[in-house]
């Protein structure tokens, strides 16, 4: 693609997909037939440029309808938004779920990441590829984590059309995956979200705080949600005012649950105090860390809780618009959240006058398209704005200049839903859960070599061993990966580590977002480390040299170690350490800074290559 427009034309179907999103073009400057007036002056360009943030939804519209994005379709979308074609091409090629080359209308994504790899993803891929060869009308793509780790191995079929159709196969067999790809409408329905919560329906379920409604309420029913305590917290928020909400969140000691553990009250206060307006709220539901699926379960099983908590957060920081950035690989979560937002809007719980309190707030969903880096907050902002999802340099920080250059509070799903119990039970009662430095309940994503994989809710301070006892470790435990691909390994004799931010830090590892991947002695550890290195190499945005080059060198070194049977690995381990230090010290964002963590811990704690 060039900076100029080419001669390629969109098909009628491509044009219809874009016009359905943007409305018909008003002048030839946006792609309509030329009129005499268009020969005299240009009009509509400024308005079109102000809609640059619709570039990603536009790419989704074409990809959903056709299955890939042609040069003609991209050209037409660029005309509609007055975006240089080269920039739009850079955005379209940034995301794994888009293709700018012809491919079949049906794409089957087969997860090959950590939990699925341990559950036989390689054999599944080989079997599916053998069954769905050339001419089948299905493109089989090996995919990073699909967020279905509790039902590994997993596959996701997407069939383009109007409407686009999807089918999830998990746990997948060759036959089930082929059926999902061949006939998405005939594929078996996904199990309810409650099956991902092993504590649901068991003794002690009534003690759950964040997951108490999953499996109890009908996720489609607003009335059922309200009958089980829904919107009590929002009424309390209106009663105490924005400053009161921030004070309660601060006194409760709530910190971010995405891994950074930044105090939520401090972030909200900093955003609310900014004189520049408007303010924005962004919910990061793009959990792409291998082994993470807690946000998906919350959105599928208790979607109204997120709508309510986003409304409270928006009220606290003075925002009237909230964006929910949702993983593109979560079709059922998308459906549930769209329905919940629509119902809340229809019932006066979103819109110009929320609950009759004179406060205006609404939520817009923006779909991601397969980019782990967009979990970094500033990369997420760029993605929403219609640019490549590359992190920004800080300062300025998002609370000063975030989305659209305005003060923005960004939190993930788990962090936000914690606000509901803080307001209903009070800051002191909430802070009494957990430990002095890590307060409240925490969601843990447990998968791998366990009998009962799923989401577990425990108070901060429980040990890793207690959590694994609940999940039931299979066979002989070889290692546990805490924090996902960006986390670190611990040994089977270290299960007394307290699951707190400070406890894991003192133990030389990290809690991260709450990923706990257990591996028994049948899992080949060197291959697992190589898969982690491949993941970071694929997901690096390429903006900074330490990460762009370092992730490639890390993968190359691990390839040599894995393929060099019986030879001395010392030179490559020394190289890995040098590259790892450079990435950790000089990368612009957390992806490069943590890309070496798991490999380092496997070498130092597990003796992976001795």
């Amino acid at each position: 693609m060039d900076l100029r427009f080419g001669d390629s034309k969109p098909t009628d179907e491509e044009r219809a997909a874009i016009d359905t999103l943007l409305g018909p073009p008003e002048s030839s400057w946006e792609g309509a037939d030329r009129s005499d007036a268009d020969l005299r002056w240009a009009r509509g360009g400024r308005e079109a440029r102000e809609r640059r943030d619709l570039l990603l939804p536009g790419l989704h519209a074409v990809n959903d309808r056709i299955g890939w994005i042609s040069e003609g379709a991209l050209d037409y979308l660029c005309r509609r938004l007055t975006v240089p074609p080269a920039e739009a091409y850079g955005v379209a090629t940034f995301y794994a779920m888009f293709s700018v080359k012809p491919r079949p209308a049906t794409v089957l994504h087969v997860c090959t990441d950590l939990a699925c790899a341990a559950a036989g993803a390689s054999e599944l891929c080989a079997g599916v590829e053998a069954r769905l060869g050339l001419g089948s009308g299905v493109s089989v793509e090996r995919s990073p984590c699909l967020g279905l780790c509790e039902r590994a191995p997993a596959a996701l079929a997407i069939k383009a059309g109007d409407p686009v159709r999807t089918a999830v196969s998990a746990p997948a067999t060759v036959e089930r995956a082929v059926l999902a790809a061949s006939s998405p409408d005939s594929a078996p329905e996904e199990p309810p979200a409650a099956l991902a919560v092993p504590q649901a329906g068991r003794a002690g379920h009534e003690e759950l705080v964040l997951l108490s409604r999953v499996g109890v309420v009908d996720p489609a029913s607003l009335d059922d949600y309200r009958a089980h305590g829904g919107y009590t917290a929002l009424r309390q928020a209106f009663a105490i005012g924005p400053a009161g909400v921030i004070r309660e969140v601060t006194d409760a000691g709530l910190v971010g649950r995405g891994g950074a553990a930044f105090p939520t009250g401090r972030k909200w206060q900093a955003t609310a105090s900014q004189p520049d307006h408007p303010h924005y709220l962004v919910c990061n539901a793009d959990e792409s860390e291998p082994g993470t699926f807690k946000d998906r379960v919350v959105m599928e099983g208790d979607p109204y809780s997120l709508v309510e908590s986003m409304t409270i957060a928006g009220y606290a920081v003075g925002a009237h618009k909230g964006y929910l950035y949702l993983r593109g690989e979560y079709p059922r979560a998308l459906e549930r959240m769209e329905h919940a937002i629509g119902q809340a809007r229809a019932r006066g719980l979103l819109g110009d006058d929320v609950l009759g309190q004179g406060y205006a707030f609404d939520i817009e969903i923006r779909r991601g398209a397969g980019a782990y880096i967009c979990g970094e907050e500033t990369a997420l902002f760029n993605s929403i704005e219609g640019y490549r999802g590359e992190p920004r340099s800080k300062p300025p920080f998002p609370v000063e200049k975030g989305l659209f250059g305005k003060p923005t509070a960004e939190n993930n799903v788990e962090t936000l839903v914690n606000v509901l119990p803080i307001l209903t039970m009070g800051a002191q009662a909430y802070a009494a859960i957990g430990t002095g430095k890590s307060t409240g309940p925490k969601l843990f994503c447990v998968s791998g070599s366990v009998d009962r994989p799923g989401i577990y809710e425990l108070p901060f301070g429980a040990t890793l061993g207690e959590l694994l006892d609940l999940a039931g470790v299979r066979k002989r435990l070889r290692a546990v990966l805490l924090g996902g691909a960006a986390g670190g390994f611990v040994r089977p004799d270290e299960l007394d580590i307290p699951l707190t931010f400070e406890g894991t830090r003192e133990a030389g590892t990290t809690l991260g977002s709450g990923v706990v991947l257990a591996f028994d002695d049948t899992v080949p550890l060197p291959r697992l480390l190589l898969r982690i290195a491949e993941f970071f190499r694929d997901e690096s945005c390429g903006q900074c040299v330490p990460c762009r080059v370092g992730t490639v060198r890390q993968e190359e070194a691990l390839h040599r170690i894995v393929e060099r049977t019986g030879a001395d690995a010392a030179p490559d381990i020394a190289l890995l350490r040098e590259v790892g230090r450079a990435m950790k010290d000089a990368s612009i964002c957390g992806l490069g800074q943590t890309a070496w963590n798991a490999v380092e811990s496997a070498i130092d704690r597990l003796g992976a290559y001795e």
Side-chain angles (χ1 to χ4, degrees), residues 449-494:
S449 304
V450 294
D451 295 322
R452 294 174 293 279
I455 302 297
Y456 288 84
E457 179 184 320
L458 291 175
F460 275 114
T463 67
L464 177 57
E466 291 170 344
L467 175 59
L468 291 176
D469 284 342
L470 288 174
V473 177
R474 293 198 303 256
K475 301 180 182 177
R476 183 180 171 188
L477 189 64
R478 171 72 172 91
V480 179
L481 180 59
L482 277 180
F489 285 95
V490 298
R491 300 186 304 271
D493 61 353
E494 297 179 300

Side-chain angles (χ1 to χ4, degrees), residues 22 35 37 80 91 117 170 249-250 342 356 360 382 389 391 415 427 440 443 450 496 500 510 513 533 546 602:
L22 302 178
S35 67
R80 294 299 318 273
V91 174
V249 171
T250 302
N382 278 339
T415 306
L443 300 182
V450 294
D496 58 347
T500 61
T510 178
S513 60

Side-chain angles (χ1 to χ4, degrees), residues 13 17 20 60-67 105-106 157-167 184-185 334-335 338 367:
E13 201 168 5
T20 299
H60 268 298
V62 175
N63 200 70
D64 286 349
R65 182 79 69 93
I66 311 300
T106 301
I158 303 176
K159 186 173 185 178
D162 186 20
V164 63
R165 294 185 294 281
T166 62
D185 295 333
L334 173 65
E335 177 189 342
E338 285 179 336
R367 293 161 58 198

Side-chain angles (χ1 to χ4, degrees), residues 174-433:
V174 173
E175 291 72 23
R176 291 173 187 164
V178 169
L179 174 62
S182 305
S183 182
D185 295 333
S186 303
E189 188 176 349
E190 280 193 79
L195 286 188
V197 183
Q199 292 163 305
R202 295 172 179 261
H205 177 258
E206 62 278 0
E207 297 178 4
L208 297 181
V209 176
L210 305 178
L211 301 176
S212 61
R213 281 184 287 259
V214 177
V216 176
V217 303
D218 177 0
S221 172
L222 177 55
D223 289 332
D224 201 10
Y225 175 71
R226 297 183 78 166
H228 287 82
Y231 282 95
T232 303
L234 180 58
R235 292 186 183 278
Q236 175 65 13
F238 284 134
I240 63 178
V245 172
I246 293 175
R247 184 172 57 251
E248 286 289 293
V249 171
T250 302
D251 291 347
L254 177 64
V255 299
R257 301 298 202 246
F262 189 85
T264 304
R266 192 191 306 173
K267 178 184 289 189
W268 288 10
Q269 180 61 53
T271 307
S273 63
Q274 294 297 318
D276 194 13
H277 286 275
H279 295 179
Y280 289 104
L281 172 75
V282 174
C283 175
N284 182 354
D286 191 54
E287 54 172 4
S288 304
E289 184 77 46
T292 311
F293 51 97
K294 55 188 172 62
D295 292 350
R296 170 183 63 80
V297 174
V298 171
M299 290 186 289
E300 291 179 352
D302 193 15
Y304 289 102
S305 68
L306 181 56
V307 176
E308 181 182 6
S309 57
M310 285 185 68
T311 308
I312 294 170
Y315 176 65
V317 304
H320 298 287
K321 182 70 176 285
Y323 287 89
L324 173 60
Y325 191 89
L326 182 60
R327 275 199 80 180
E329 296 91 339
Y330 282 178
R332 185 164 70 170
L334 173 65
E335 177 189 342
R336 296 273 168 87
M337 291 308 306
E338 285 179 336
H339 177 79
I341 290 170
Q343 288 296 302
R345 190 180 292 129
R347 300 277 286 275
L349 298 168
L350 288 175
D352 294 334
D353 188 13
V354 176
L355 276 178
Q357 297 291 321
Y359 168 62
F361 183 75
D362 212 340
I363 298 172
E364 183 175 341
I365 296 177
R366 290 297 175 90
R367 293 161 58 198
Y372 170 71
I373 188 62
C374 288
E376 197 278 337
E377 57 185 357
T378 59
L380 188 156
F381 300 155
N382 278 339
S383 181
I384 292 177
E385 292 177 19
Y387 298 93
R388 288 169 62 89
E390 297 174 343
R392 304 172 184 173
S393 297
K394 292 182 280 192
F397 294 97
V399 296
E400 302 165 311
K401 291 187 179 297
L403 185 64
F404 304 120
K406 299 297 182 179
T408 304
E410 183 268 353
N411 298 106
N412 74 346
V413 173
E414 185 188 354
T415 306
L416 287 169
V417 296
N418 268 274
V419 175
L420 303 183
I422 289 174
L423 293 182
T424 54
M425 66 195 306
Q428 287 187 344
Y430 178 91
I433 303 172

